[in-house]
Amino acid sequence: MSKSYSIRWLAVAVSAAMLLVAAAACGGETVEVPGETVVVEKEVIKEVQVPGETVIVEKEVVKTVEVEKEVVKEVEAERLVTNVWGEVVDRPQYGGTIPLSIVGLPEHFDSWYGGWLDFWSPYVLDELGTIDFSLPRDEYDTTAGYYDINYMTGELAESWEIAPDVSYFTFKIRENVNWQNKAPMNGRQLNAHDVAHHFQRIWGLGEFAADGGSPHLWGLPNVPAASADATGDFEFKVGLSTPGLDHLGTVLGILTPSDVQPPEVIEEFGDMRNWEVVVGTGPYSISDFVPGASLEFERNPDYWKTDPRYPDHNFQIPYADKIEMRNIPDLAPRVAALRTGKTVMQGGQYLTVDQVESLKRSNPELTVVPLVGTSKTDGSFDVSIEPWDDKNVRIAMQKALNLVEINFTYYNGVANPVPMGFAPLVAKGYFVPYEEWPDDLKWQYEYDAEEAERLLDEAGYPRGGDGTRFSAQWDMYPPWGSDVDLAQLLTGYWQAIGVDISLNVVADGAEIGRRRSDKTYDGLSHCGCRHKNANPLASLPGRFKGTPSNYTGITDEDFNALIERAWAATDFDTMLELAREADMYFIREHWAMMLPIVPQTMLVQPWLKDYTGQEGGGDEAWASVMMWTWVDQERKDKMGH
């Protein structure tokens, strides 16, 4: 027994000595270990007699231990950084590819011709201003997708000044910005003459006066621009025929395509519709485009901007080498792509509460990012078409809906059923809270099926022999956020008051527009108009101002005049007062349904870093989101993505 014990003890002692690096017999040594210094001494404690040999057994005695963590600290310092909010986070990494799904791709690449540009243009082209994503989070909620001049910072415009009478804006153009190194721009420096060329073309000024300006844009044509000139190599001035403070935000880029285009490209090719001639000053360039299928970008190594979220570092953005967009209009394959790691995120306006919960259960590894809520299913009424031309009918459609019941039965109580207008709750000062509404207006939004029936009787729509008052189709397009299941629930409430509403799920968004403009629909269509997460004076007029509005077909001269007054306000307080009045006008007229405001969620692959809900749930492919994120390639590889 004693022999066996001695041999086992001896083996342990030898192993320990090997791990510490063997020392000379009866001597001492200093063992260097990263981060600490250990002094080891040995002494003979006995001799063990084993048949045929004598074994000297030594005891290792640690005399002193000096712990120094400098090496560890250096490693940690390289891996972690502190952001502008005082948080210690992972240091951004460069490289990798961000794969995205997208609902629809551009048909061209020239903002003069209009179109939905947010999905691609900020990747390639810069605007004069942008949202400042380094603001204090208690001051600006980046998850709302809300724009306000007070939260803007300079992009191509380093700074700006407003004339005392608000008759012109002067912009100091940034001097350290170069066009991408691609013909015909060849990496030359941007200047104020480039900026003037772009805005003159958009507005039909200067050498473009004969063209009349773009008739296709949203926002910029509303600016009463009398001039747009370079008053120096790096100074640009916009003169207004009618002064107005709100126009500053439009010129800077609030919900408008004010991304500056390259003059040599326009001069050589006539326009920039062809993706192969696109050149910008932005963080990426277009590397491939397959119409209707995919759009790819590669990093601009010479981009001028650094990340303002890390003021103690000089991190050039963007971080990812490539952005890959795949056009996946249908929800099921988009969700499947997220589950399997083929795409990086999904959610926002595209997923219902139940779908989010299902994904959280099936893919618990996904990062859950809560966003400010909105309503995307609420339809709009074309008031030039019967029966929606009668306001009492529109009120009746609203009063037939039990918002509290819908919240608890359909949304499990997580939505907000309190009536509100167009402006989001984060847009302080732009709306009147529900508790301050007059009683007669609150009454219009209170559930009362009997009152709804009385209003329809008075409007001249009695029940027929089959109990039906009238029938209509509701045009819907799910890729824009319309929840067909919710809509089916709503039709039951309307059926109870004798209104037969059937759903017409159209094939594509363009069909919705055609049916509106041709008046070949029943006057009830997609809107997504309540609690819109954007600047109210930019997007509310875009849906309801016009003769008629190109979005809803509504013509209301009083509302048009009110918006014109708001745009012409020369001080912020007056502009806010008129914005509140415009929002109340929209609320009173019932141009769109009021449905519960639904909390939104973005589900994100854990290897996409620094996504904190920027831009809200508008769409995950917006460049103002992706240019701030980076890929944890090690984690991505471990997950097999």
Side-chain angles (χ1 to χ4, degrees):
M1 290 291 293
S2 60
K3 178 179 177 180
S4 174
Y5 177 84
S6 299
I7 293 175
R8 188 183 305 117
W9 187 93
L10 179 62
V12 172
V14 171
S15 298
M18 291 178 63
L19 287 174
L20 290 171
V21 183
C26 302
E29 117 177 271
T30 299
V31 180
E32 299 291 344
V33 181
E36 62 184 41
T37 301
V38 181
V39 179
V40 180
E41 292 187 359
K42 299 180 179 181
E43 63 179 88
V44 176
I45 57 172
K46 66 178 178 177
E47 294 182 359
V48 179
Q49 298 296 324
V50 180
E53 61 180 315
T54 300
V55 177
I56 305 297
V57 179
E58 299 173 336
K59 178 174 70 175
E60 295 177 347
V61 181
V62 178
K63 295 296 185 182
T64 60
V65 178
E66 300 174 2
V67 180
E68 299 181 15
K69 298 297 184 181
E70 294 306 318
V71 175
V72 176
K73 289 180 181 178
E74 288 178 9
V75 172
E76 289 295 307
E78 290 180 1
R79 189 177 68 82
L80 302 174
V81 291
T82 302
N83 62 26
V84 72
W85 303 290
E87 301 166 334
V88 178
V89 297
D90 290 333
R91 174 183 291 264
Q93 300 172 15
Y94 288 93
T97 298
I98 298 177
L100 299 166
S101 63
I102 188 170
V103 180
L105 288 169
E107 297 178 358
H108 63 80
F109 295 85
D110 191 333
S111 61
W112 194 93
Y113 295 92
W116 195 243
L117 307 172
D118 300 274
F119 299 129
W120 76 268
S121 61
Y123 284 101
V124 184
L125 305 168
D126 287 323
E127 298 181 308
L128 292 184
T130 187
I131 289 296
D132 185 354
F133 284 111
S134 65
L135 287 170
R137 287 172 173 163
D138 58 352
E139 177 181 338
Y140 176 69
D141 188 343
T142 62
T143 74
Y146 168 65
Y147 298 82
D148 190 308
I149 187 63
N150 296 303
Y151 305 134
M152 299 285 283
T153 188
E155 194 163 56
L156 292 183
E158 194 169 43
S159 60
W160 50 85
E161 294 181 0
I162 305 170
D165 61 354
V166 200
S167 62
Y168 62 86
F169 309 124
T170 304
F171 303 89
K172 180 183 179 183
I173 302 304
R174 198 177 297 274
E175 296 188 34
N176 62 337
V177 177
N178 291 338
W179 292 97
Q180 293 163 0
N181 192 18
K182 175 182 176 181
M185 305 310 294
N186 299 317
R188 74 163 176 82
Q189 188 176 28
L190 172 96
N191 57 53
H193 304 283
D194 299 337
V195 178
H197 181 277
H198 168 72
F199 282 95
Q200 287 177 1
R201 178 173 180 250
I202 292 294
W203 284 325
L205 299 171
E207 64 178 281
F208 301 99
D211 299 336
S214 171
H216 307 289
L217 293 179
W218 175 320
L220 274 176
N222 297 324
V223 176
S227 61
D229 301 306
T231 52
D233 287 344
F234 295 97
E235 184 175 278
F236 171 60
K237 184 176 179 180
V238 173
L240 304 174
S241 58
T242 302
L245 185 60
D246 185 67
H247 301 310
L248 174 60
T250 305
V251 176
L252 284 171
I254 292 182
L255 295 184
T256 59
S258 64
D259 35 25
V260 176
Q261 297 184 339
E264 284 93 323
V265 170
I266 304 302
E267 291 164 3
E268 182 172 339
F269 300 102
D271 58 43
M272 204 171 68
R273 285 182 289 183
N274 181 0
W275 73 272
E276 294 180 294
V277 305
V278 173
V279 187
T281 59
Y284 288 93
S285 60
I286 301 176
S287 55
D288 191 36
F289 175 58
V290 180
S294 62
L295 178 60
E296 297 182 2
F297 303 87
E298 62 183 16
R299 184 176 186 268
N300 173 14
D302 303 316
Y303 191 48
W304 59 272
K305 189 184 290 187
T306 57
D307 195 332
R309 298 171 303 174
Y310 301 99
D312 297 332
H313 304 274
N314 194 34
F315 294 151
Q316 183 198 31
I317 55 173
Y319 297 107
D321 284 341
K322 291 184 179 180
I323 305 289
E324 295 179 350
M325 292 182 181
R326 296 293 179 266
N327 184 26
I328 310 178
D330 296 329
L331 178 61
R334 287 205 310 274
V335 170
L338 179 68
R339 289 185 191 277
T340 57
K342 298 295 191 299
T343 57
V344 74
M345 61 171 62
Q346 189 61 234
Q349 65 180 3
Y350 295 119
L351 294 181
T352 67
V353 173
D354 287 344
Q355 289 165 339
V356 167
E357 292 304 313
S358 175
L359 269 168
K360 286 164 65 175
R361 289 191 298 270
S362 65
N363 291 72
E365 77 281 2
L366 294 173
T367 302
V368 179
V369 181
L371 310 171
V372 169
T374 189
S375 176
K376 298 296 292 185
T377 305
D378 42 349
S380 64
F381 302 103
D382 187 333
V383 298
S384 68
I385 296 176
E386 293 184 357
W388 317 122
D389 57 341
D390 191 315
K391 182 177 175 180
N392 278 342
V393 173
R394 304 196 299 272
I395 294 174
M397 295 290 285
Q398 182 65 56
K399 289 186 72 65
L401 301 177
N402 189 333
L403 301 184
V404 173
E405 185 176 72
I406 292 170
N407 177 34
F408 282 100
T409 58
Y410 192 76
Y411 293 118
N412 298 320
V414 301
N416 180 4
V418 177
M420 59 187 69
F422 191 92
L425 292 178
V426 295
K428 302 300 183 184
Y430 279 91
F431 65 94
V432 177
Y434 173 75
E435 57 268 20
E436 297 178 18
W437 290 9
D439 290 341
D440 67 315
L441 186 55
K442 289 180 179 178
W443 174 86
Q444 295 177 19
Y445 286 84
E446 292 170 354
Y447 169 66
D448 191 330
E450 290 184 2
E451 274 296 290
E453 295 221 48
R454 184 186 66 78
L455 289 169
L456 292 174
D457 287 338
E458 290 185 358
Y461 294 97
R463 287 181 180 266
D466 62 352
T468 301
R469 300 174 183 275
F470 62 83
S471 301
Q473 274 193 338
W474 180 2
D475 284 4
M476 308 192 78
Y477 184 50
W480 286 353
S482 296
D483 184 346
V484 176
D485 291 337
L486 173 63
Q488 290 282 13
L489 175 63
L490 303 181
T491 62
Y493 285 99
W494 291 322
Q495 192 71 48
I497 62 170
V499 176
D500 179 26
I501 300 296
S502 59
L503 306 182
N504 178 36
V505 181
V506 302
D508 60 74
E511 183 178 348
I512 289 232
R514 287 192 297 268
R515 286 168 61 82
R516 282 173 176 159
S517 59
D518 297 341
K519 300 292 185 180
T520 55
Y521 74 129
D522 289 346
L524 182 56
S525 187
H526 172 90
C527 187
C529 296
R530 295 280 177 166
H531 201 244
K532 183 69 178 177
N533 289 349
N535 184 291
L537 282 182
S539 47
L540 176 59
R543 282 167 164 72
F544 297 102
K545 181 182 181 297
T547 54
S549 164
N550 60 3
Y551 195 90
T552 57
I554 287 173
T555 300
D556 189 301
E557 295 302 329
D558 291 337
F559 181 76
N560 292 348
L562 176 57
I563 292 297
E564 294 286 351
R565 288 171 54 208
W567 284 345
T570 57
D571 66 272
F572 197 66
D573 289 341
T574 301
M575 186 181 75
L576 283 179
E577 180 182 351
L578 292 167
R580 290 192 294 270
E581 188 175 341
D583 193 52
M584 291 299 287
Y585 196 106
F586 163 75
I587 292 167
R588 284 188 177 278
E589 289 302 312
H590 290 264
W591 286 335
M593 305 169 193
M594 168 63 212
L595 302 178
I597 304 304
V598 188
Q600 295 186 103
T601 303
M602 194 69 76
L603 299 174
V604 185
Q605 296 293 350
W607 43 263
L608 185 74
K609 298 293 189 175
D610 263 356
Y611 173 74
T612 56
Q614 300 97 322
E615 289 285 5
D619 196 278
E620 61 270 47
W622 284 10
S624 47
V625 176
M626 290 301 110
M627 67 188 296
W628 303 102
T629 60
W630 55 273
V631 176
D632 184 340
Q633 194 62 51
E634 181 180 359
R635 186 164 189 180
K636 183 180 180 183
D637 292 343
K638 286 181 178 178
M639 294 182 66
H641 295 168

